[in-house]
Amino acid sequence: MTLSVTDLAITRGGVPVLEGLSFALEPGRALILRGPNGIGKTTLLRTLAGLQPPLAGRVDGAEDTIAYASHSDGLKPTLTVAENLQFWASVFGAKSIQTALDAFALNDLADRHAGNLSAGQKRRLGLSRLLVTGRPIWMLDEPTVSLDRNAVAMFADAVRGHLGQGGSALIATHIDLGLDGEVLDVGPYKAKPKPIDDFDGGFL
């Protein structure tokens, strides 16, 4: 499944942040989003994931194909690691959580409540949910926050495995994950300020 973005314009809080953005994300490929803080990478991912409408442009190939991992780990603290994964597996119709447990070294933590995990362990659990979604397009917003070097390697391996199975990934990150992917710098697509076209506008 190819994700195609054409002449996209997006807003944050009603204010345009990016405009004129076009790209295609092909199966088996990773695309790394780069740009300064506040440029609109998170807003772009949220828009592509269908959490907010675009201001203009088209997004094709996104419906029911995207798994989105945001800054929040999205865990239920009173459930165990295994119960959290089983919940999401039931939502997406996955038959097993074992691959997810293995990929992020969570087997020894399977019976521990998510609320009692460290920040890094919570992040690993949050990311492991991607493996039970069955969705071909992963959208990841600074996925390595709170991860140590070993866990970053686990994550990178999980992405490589996903790409090897024909999936794709759009990742906003400032670090080098060692992935064979292209870089999309969104800086040049920063929206231009709207001109003030009347006298009263100068005081708004």
Side-chain angles (χ1 to χ4, degrees), residues 156-185:
D157 285 343
V159 174
R160 288 190 194 95
H162 180 64
L163 301 180
Q165 295 174 358
S168 59
L170 183 62
I171 309 172
T173 181
H174 293 286
I175 72 169
D176 183 4
L177 295 170
L179 298 173
D180 182 17
E182 300 174 9
V183 173
L184 174 60
D185 183 357

Side-chain angles (χ1 to χ4, degrees), residues 106 128 172 201:
L106 294 170
S128 73

Side-chain angles (χ1 to χ4, degrees), residues 54-93:
L55 179 64
R58 290 185 56 182
V59 179
D60 296 308
E63 186 174 358
D64 295 330
T65 64
I66 291 173
Y68 173 57
S70 67
H71 291 160
S72 172
D73 295 317
L75 307 177
K76 297 182 180 298
T78 59
L79 297 183
T80 66
V81 166
E83 288 169 342
N84 268 277
L85 281 173
Q86 286 163 351
F87 169 79
W88 287 107
S90 67
V91 169
F92 290 100

Side-chain angles (χ1 to χ4, degrees), residues 120-141:
Q121 291 167 341
K122 288 177 181 177
R123 193 60 171 166
R124 280 157 50 200
L125 175 55
L127 291 171
S128 73
R129 294 181 304 163
L130 294 164
L131 296 171
V132 301
T133 65
R135 298 287 176 92
I137 302 173
W138 290 359
M139 293 196 175
L140 312 170
D141 194 359

Side-chain angles (χ1 to χ4, degrees), residues 144-157:
T144 59
V145 171
S146 301
L147 296 183
D148 60 22
R149 182 177 298 180
N150 288 337
V152 170
M154 292 177 200
F155 166 71
D157 285 343

